[in-house]
Amino acid sequence: MHNSTFSFIPLPVGVSDPMKRLTKIEKYYRRLNHSPATLFSVVMIPVVGGLFSWMIDWFSYNYLSTVLISNFPGPSYGGNFIAGGNNNKVLDINFSAGVGVGNCGIAFCMISYADGMRIITSVDKSILPSDEAVEELNKKIEEELDLYKTLSTV
């Protein structure tokens, strides 16, 4: 299993064939296994995190990416809260960080827990000005995921 704190990959948004898009993303992701960028990010995050907050602002402005995709895989099994004698079942988890400061206009936060997965979409108002427009984007993402599920069973 390979963990990375952050990495940058191009997204093949101009490729119309869904399997070709997926293949390109897989190729870009696999390149990260041999890239020094991953090691650099693992070292850089604690160093930057140890600075004063006004110094962190210099490093946290996003110059490099326009879309942010965060993946937080949770456990594949359900759990219980420790408080209350460990009798209260955790039904779901949620997390969202927004687009941050800089060039990022769209942020997707994917988080899984037990048998479910949640995708939270945050969009700068200058890109998609209404909640309805964001919902339409979410529907397109669901259609894409359903297409990959269908193709994987063929």
Side-chain angles (χ1 to χ4, degrees):
M1 184 172 176
H2 183 85
N3 291 327
S4 64
T5 304
F6 68 87
S7 54
F8 297 95
I9 63 170
L11 296 175
V13 294
V15 178
S16 60
D17 181 89
M19 287 310 290
K20 286 182 181 175
R21 278 195 304 272
L22 194 58
T23 301
K24 279 190 174 274
I25 290 172
E26 178 73 16
K27 182 175 97 175
Y28 297 146
Y29 182 74
R30 293 212 180 271
R31 279 188 193 162
L32 291 173
N33 288 331
H34 306 290
S35 170
T38 312
L39 178 61
F40 174 73
S41 71
V42 168
V43 172
M44 190 180 92
I45 293 297
V47 170
V48 171
L51 298 174
F52 294 107
S53 62
W54 59 270
M55 297 170 105
I56 292 173
D57 291 343
W58 296 338
F59 294 99
S60 64
Y61 189 93
N62 178 7
Y63 296 98
L64 300 173
S65 64
T66 55
V67 176
L68 171 70
I69 303 171
S70 301
N71 183 26
F72 298 96
S76 58
Y77 52 88
N80 293 334
F81 283 112
I82 296 172
N86 207 22
N87 293 327
N88 300 314
K89 188 161 184 65
V90 178
L91 303 176
D92 196 0
I93 55 176
N94 201 349
F95 174 81
S96 181
V99 295
V101 179
N103 295 336
C104 186
I106 301 176
F108 300 103
C109 179
M110 300 179 296
I111 188 162
S112 62
Y113 177 72
D115 294 329
M117 181 172 147
R118 183 182 303 273
I119 300 175
I120 297 107
T121 306
S122 301
V123 182
D124 188 288
K125 293 282 186 198
S126 64
I127 295 173
L128 294 176
S130 69
D131 289 342
E132 292 78 21
V134 176
E135 280 303 314
E136 186 62 33
L137 174 62
N138 287 340
K139 287 178 188 171
K140 295 290 184 190
I141 292 168
E142 285 182 52
E143 289 171 11
E144 185 85 359
L145 293 172
D146 286 342
L147 180 62
Y148 288 132
K149 267 197 283 190
T150 303
L151 291 172
S152 70
T153 58
V154 173

